[in-house]
């Protein structure tokens, strides 16, 4: 060994790196715990604290080892031994037999069996669906892929007055018995509520004056994001099939272009719900 500290550290590091990591598993830990308990190297409290288990677990492991021997340290299933709300085998057999004979669905099977055996408490429809699926009598439906229009997408705005969203917030009846439809217009970038007006209906004739008054006060070029409401006013700059009556003339007057958005999504609803 040389007199330099660097050589000493390098030699010590090489010896330490040659040592393997200590590997363990629950079965080895249980075996070591039982060996320490049998040799008397500490009380039950000390051993449980050292191995990180409760005293209840420690006593149960010792008692199980005394009864079963080496098989006591093996892993066991943690599934419950019984299920109180499980469907009885007799009812499940009746459901399966009726399904094979009639090829009916869960709702009709429950109605027919309930009329035939009114004294029996039958499970819910979802439980019957599970019984049929578990016995291979039905096949789960494959979810259909819903394709969006190529022009649709999340509305984005990089500055105020670039994109405005509109939506009807649902109708309600006032004290005089007249329906009111709140029409809201929101700036997408700042989330500022530009206009909320109650109109008698969702037709273009009632919503058009609201937009004209707003755009006359703040004339600018906009991208108009359609919202999830199917009957929202839609000023569109192109002669597409979904244009409302007078929509093209309205769009050219306020210099607005249309941008479609996805229906029934949280991202879309957040544009107008705040």
């Amino acid at each position: 060994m040389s007199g330099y500290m660097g050589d000493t550290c390098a030699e010590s590091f090489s010896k330490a790196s040659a040592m393997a990591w200590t590997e363990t598993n629950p079965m080895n830990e249980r075996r070591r715990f039982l060996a320490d308990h049998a040799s008397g190297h500490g009380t039950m409290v000390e051993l449980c604290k050292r191995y990180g288990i409760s005293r209840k677990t420690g006593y149960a492991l010792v008692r199980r080892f005394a009864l079963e021997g080496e098989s006591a340290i093996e892993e066991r299933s943690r599934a419950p031994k019984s299920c109180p709300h499980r469907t009885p085998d007799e009812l499940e057999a009746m459901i399966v037999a009726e399904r094979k004979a009639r090829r009916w669905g869960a709702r009709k099977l429950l109605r027919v069996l309930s009329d035939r055996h009114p004294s029996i408490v039958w499970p819910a429809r979802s439980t019957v669906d599970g019984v049929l699926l578990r016995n291979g009598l039905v096949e789960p439906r494959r979810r259909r892929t819903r394709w969006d229009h190529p022009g649709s997408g999340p509305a984005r705005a990089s500055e105020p007055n670039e994109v405005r969203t509109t939506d009807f917030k649902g109708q309600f009846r006032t004290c005089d018995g007249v329906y009111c439809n709140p029409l809201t217009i929101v700036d997408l970038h700042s989330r500022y509520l530009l206009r909320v007006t109650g109109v008698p209906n969702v037709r273009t004739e009632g919503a058009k004056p609201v937009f004209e008054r707003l755009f006359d006060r703040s004339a600018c070029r906009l991208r108009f994001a359609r919202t999830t409401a199917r009957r929202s006013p839609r000023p569109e700059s192109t002669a597409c099939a979904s244009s409302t009556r007078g929509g093209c003339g309205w769009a050219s007057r306020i210099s607005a272009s249309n941008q479609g958005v996805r229906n029934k999504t949280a991202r879309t609803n957040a544009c107008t719900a705040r």
Side-chain angles (χ1 to χ4, degrees), residues 130-151:
V131 171
L132 299 180
L133 183 62
R134 186 166 55 250
N135 288 272
L137 298 177
V138 293
E139 295 182 1
R141 292 183 179 179
R142 188 177 64 177
R143 293 187 176 182
R144 296 177 57 186
T145 303
R146 296 185 178 273
W147 302 98
D148 294 328
H149 191 275

Side-chain angles (χ1 to χ4, degrees), residues 40 56 61 107 111 166 168 180 193 204 254:
K56 180 180 179 180
L61 183 58
R107 182 171 58 183
R111 184 168 66 248
T166 179
F168 283 105
C180 177
L193 181 62
T204 303
I254 64 177

Side-chain angles (χ1 to χ4, degrees), residues 3-272:
Y4 293 97
M5 181 61 70
D7 297 339
T8 305
C9 294
E11 184 178 357
S12 301
F13 179 77
S14 61
K15 291 182 179 180
S17 61
M19 299 176 59
W21 291 99
T22 302
E23 297 182 359
T24 184
N25 54 56
M27 293 185 61
N28 291 338
E29 291 297 311
R30 297 189 189 102
R31 189 178 289 107
R32 290 174 52 193
F33 174 82
L34 294 172
D36 291 343
H37 180 268
S39 62
H41 293 164
T43 62
M44 178 63 72
V45 177
E46 295 174 348
L47 291 177
C48 293
K49 185 176 181 180
R50 184 188 309 170
Y51 286 91
I53 60 176
S54 63
R55 286 184 294 173
K56 180 180 179 180
T57 304
Y59 282 116
L61 183 58
V62 172
R63 183 169 57 254
R64 192 190 310 162
F65 182 76
L67 296 176
E68 303 177 9
E70 189 68 18
S71 61
I73 65 176
E74 297 179 357
E75 289 287 346
R76 296 190 175 186
S77 175
R78 291 177 173 81
K81 297 182 180 179
S82 61
C83 183
H85 57 275
R86 179 180 177 180
T87 305
D89 296 337
E90 295 79 8
L91 295 184
E92 185 169 343
M94 295 173 64
I95 295 173
V96 171
E98 193 68 24
R99 164 68 182 184
K100 291 181 178 180
R102 303 293 183 180
R103 305 293 298 175
W104 289 333
R107 182 171 58 183
K108 193 167 185 178
L109 286 175
L110 279 177
R111 184 168 66 248
V112 172
L113 292 175
S114 299
D115 295 340
R116 189 179 303 171
H117 308 279
S119 60
I120 299 178
V121 179
W122 294 96
R125 177 184 174 182
S126 58
T127 304
V128 177
D129 288 332
V131 171
L132 299 180
L133 183 62
R134 186 166 55 250
N135 288 272
L137 298 177
V138 293
E139 295 182 1
R141 292 183 179 179
R142 188 177 64 177
R143 293 187 176 182
R144 296 177 57 186
T145 303
R146 296 185 178 273
W147 302 98
D148 294 328
H149 191 275
S152 66
R156 296 185 178 89
S158 58
E159 60 182 8
N161 290 329
E162 182 183 5
V163 179
R164 293 178 180 177
T165 60
T166 179
D167 190 16
F168 283 105
K169 296 302 181 182
Q171 64 180 4
F172 62 91
R173 192 189 296 270
T174 57
C175 296
D176 55 356
V178 179
Y179 279 103
C180 177
N181 298 268
L183 173 63
T184 60
I185 306 175
V186 182
D187 181 72
L188 181 60
H189 184 269
S190 62
R191 305 288 186 182
Y192 184 76
L193 181 62
L194 299 172
R195 177 77 65 178
V196 53
T197 305
V199 293
N201 51 56
V202 295
R203 298 179 180 274
T204 303
E205 292 77 6
K208 184 177 180 180
V210 180
F211 286 92
E212 289 180 341
R213 288 193 298 268
L214 176 63
F215 293 138
D216 288 341
R217 294 179 55 186
S218 57
C220 57
R221 184 169 183 83
L222 302 174
R223 283 190 299 115
F224 205 91
R226 291 186 298 172
T227 59
T228 56
R230 296 183 178 180
R231 295 181 295 177
S232 295
R234 299 174 295 178
E236 295 157 351
S237 58
T238 58
C240 58
S242 59
S243 297
T244 56
R245 184 174 57 183
C248 296
W250 186 13
S252 60
R253 182 175 181 273
I254 64 177
S255 299
S257 60
N258 178 60
Q259 177 184 354
V261 294
R262 296 185 178 92
N263 292 333
K264 299 181 181 180
T265 59
R267 182 182 300 177
T268 302
N269 293 335
C271 295
T272 55

